[in-house]
Amino acid sequence: MPNYMLTLCYDGTRYKGWQKQGNTDNTIQGRLERLLGEILGEEIELNGSGRTDAGAHARQQVASFRAHTALSADTILKRLREALPEDIGAVSLCEAPPRFHARLSCTGKTYVYRVWNSDMPNVFDRRFMHTVTDTLNLEAMQLAARHLIGTHDLSAFCSKRSTKKSAVRTIDGLCIEVVGNELRFTVSGNGFLYNTVRIIVGTLLEVGRGALSPDAIPDILASLDRKNAGLTAPAKGLCLWEVRY
Amino acid sequence: MPNYMLTLCYDGTRYKGWQKQGNTDNTIQGRLERLLGEILGEEIELNGSGRTDAGAHARQQVASFRAHTALSADTILKRLREALPEDIGAVSLCEAPPRFHARLSCTGKTYVYRVWNSDMPNVFDRRFMHTVTDTLNLEAMQLAARHLIGTHDLSAFCSKRSTKKSAVRTIDGLCIEVVGNELRFTVSGNGFLYNTVRIIVGTLLEVGRGALSPDAIPDILASLDRKNAGLTAPAKGLCLWEVRY
């Protein structure tokens, strides 16, 4: 049965995240499975590269599915684009090798978290940024960020963790750039736990405000205890930027 | 009575344009007059630099008003920011010279019209661009644009024109740039008639599609007849970019 790789983007504002919840249309996966099922005339099981949170966005999300269809990938893509609401975009669809699986084959991901750091209004990108009006110390945040790069047990930076599985992950890159009034956090790694990027950003913002020292990060990591890290930054600033295979 | 200059930006998607219509809150002017009236405790008459259409946006709109208040401009600005919905931003507020009037003192304006020229999805900027999937001839559009630069009677590029007033205006600049999948039209002039920018863009898009020759523009201008120009491009792609004094 042919295997497909679907590349997507979405404005997640209206949705309860990627993962299907019961029989509803208000998740990205749920909406896509219903539309693909209607186009292909069979029940479709869509595997995303990973979940995205309610209200979080994706510039590039990848999903895979199998189908018996006689339709070409181009035709399926065209019909899917016609059927999708304007806040979900189908970027590409192609046949994939038989063993390709969007989640299991994934070798790395990049997330971007956008903070609007100004009391000026942010009318045009307000859906995609978290506003912080405090003055932030960029250098302190960058010092703190360096402690997170590398291979660590990220239990302290993970919500609702199941203790059965390993929380060891590698963060390859964590950079913070100033782009006008925006502070842009770009985080790359081989895999992320639940809420990890949002907790990293929330913790770095506390460092930026001076509420936490950059040198506190190694101790927070070593504690393996979520309550020692900072608040979980709001989902609206988070965007799944790239999925690598 | 002190005179104030208020600089604004807005995502016009939800609004029936700038100009107040009766006693409603669904215009930018109407909403602002109500909020300023509540903050200042007196009835406020707000003069915009010009109207913007229902669904059109402003990166920079300027408005002036007079008030008797003892509040400082900074305090009024702060309270206005707190009261405004997230799709209207108050950029700045300052006291203006007594004779300053946002419309009458205006010496020039720039509009930007954004076209998404691709069948790729445009999820993140969909509120601010008009999508055209046809292949467009950029060179032909640029040739046509050159005919519009200068001082002309723009009756052919104006909707619902009152024949009493002069339709002579000067277009200082009209440039078309390609920015990724976007085609960006930047139009500057000393004043614009009703729908002029949208009709210019609609006409240039017909040139781009090959439905109209660039050399037809001088005849359309000379005809002074709206029905010879192209369709009015949709409001959502239009943004008032800059107002000059």
Side-chain angles (χ1 to χ4, degrees), chain A residues 79-172:
Chain A
R79 296 206 187 154
L80 184 59
R81 283 184 178 170
E82 287 163 5
L84 279 170
E86 59 178 10
D87 50 7
I88 304 178
V91 176
S92 65
L93 177 69
C94 54
E95 271 204 58
R99 300 181 64 106
F100 175 78
H101 184 284
R103 181 169 51 82
L104 301 174
S105 309
C106 175
T107 56
K109 279 182 188 171
T110 297
Y111 284 90
V112 169
Y113 194 98
R114 301 174 72 189
V115 170
W116 180 254
N117 186 27
S118 170
D119 56 7
M120 290 292 278
N122 179 25
V123 155
F124 302 108
D125 282 324
R126 65 186 189 276
R127 293 164 158 246
F128 311 117
M129 294 200 212
H130 166 45
T131 297
V132 175
T133 54
D134 308 287
T135 303
L136 298 170
N137 182 336
L138 178 65
E139 219 175 316
M141 290 191 286
Q142 286 171 329
L143 278 171
R146 266 187 239 160
H147 292 297
L148 290 161
I149 294 171
T151 301
H152 300 283
D153 184 314
L154 294 174
S155 296
F157 291 86
C158 170
S159 298
K160 295 188 217 158
R161 188 169 124 54
S162 131
T163 47
K164 289 177 198 154
K165 290 184 188 164
S166 165
V168 175
R169 298 289 186 280
T170 299
I171 293 179
D172 305 307

Side-chain angles (χ1 to χ4, degrees), chain B:
Chain B
M1 177 155 51
N3 191 23
Y4 294 91
M5 175 179 173
L6 173 63
T7 302
L8 301 157
C9 58
Y10 43 85
D11 166 356
T13 309
R14 289 199 302 149
Y15 297 92
K16 293 196 186 298
W18 170 265
Q19 199 184 29
K20 189 170 46 173
Q21 293 169 18
N23 210 358
T24 59
D25 230 23
N26 57 7
T27 65
I28 316 282
Q29 184 190 19
R31 177 68 74 111
L32 282 161
E33 285 189 353
R34 179 175 67 77
L35 295 176
L36 283 170
E38 286 167 12
I39 293 163
L40 297 167
E42 59 185 300
E43 208 168 298
I44 297 298
E45 192 193 320
L46 196 62
N47 292 294
S49 74
R51 305 171 189 180
T52 52
D53 300 336
H57 318 288
R59 191 194 72 120
Q60 188 206 50
Q61 167 69 296
V62 174
S64 55
F65 64 94
R66 293 176 194 276
H68 289 97
T69 185
L71 298 174
S72 71
D74 280 355
T75 302
I76 303 170
L77 179 63
K78 192 167 168 286
R79 296 208 186 150
L80 184 59
R81 283 184 178 167
E82 286 163 5
L84 280 170
E86 60 179 8
D87 50 8
I88 304 179
V91 177
S92 64
L93 177 69
C94 54
E95 270 204 60
R99 299 181 65 104
F100 176 78
H101 184 286
R103 180 169 51 82
L104 301 174
S105 309
C106 174
T107 56
K109 280 182 188 170
T110 298
Y111 284 90
V112 168
Y113 194 98
R114 302 175 70 188
V115 170
W116 181 253
N117 187 26
S118 169
D119 55 6
M120 290 292 277
N122 179 25
V123 155
F124 302 107
D125 282 324
R126 64 185 190 276
R127 292 165 157 243
F128 311 116
M129 295 199 211
H130 167 46
T131 297
V132 174
T133 54
D134 309 288
T135 302
L136 297 170
N137 182 336
L138 178 64
E139 218 175 319
M141 288 190 288
Q142 285 170 330
L143 278 171
R146 267 187 240 160
H147 292 296
L148 289 162
I149 294 171
T151 302
H152 299 283
D153 184 314
L154 293 174
S155 296
F157 291 86
C158 170
S159 297
K160 295 189 216 158
R161 187 168 124 54
S162 132
T163 47
K164 287 178 200 154
K165 290 186 190 162
S166 166
V168 176
R169 296 290 186 279
T170 300
I171 294 178
D172 306 307
L174 171 40
C175 88
I176 312 169
E177 293 162 282
V178 176
V179 185
N181 286 324
E182 180 185 344
L183 216 59
R184 193 175 294 178
F185 298 76
T186 304
V187 191
S188 297
N190 65 349
F192 291 92
L193 304 165
Y194 189 52
N195 282 350
T196 296
V197 177
R198 292 167 56 189
I199 300 170
I200 286 175
V201 171
T203 305
L204 293 177
L205 289 172
E206 290 188 25
V207 171
R209 287 182 184 105
L212 200 65
S213 155
D215 298 329
I217 303 294
D219 291 341
I220 296 172
L221 274 170
S223 77
L224 307 182
D225 188 347
R226 166 71 188 89
K227 72 174 190 292
N228 293 321
L231 294 174
T232 304
K236 67 184 292 200
L238 185 63
C239 186
L240 174 55
W241 200 255
E242 193 183 73
V243 184
R244 289 180 291 279
Y245 292 98

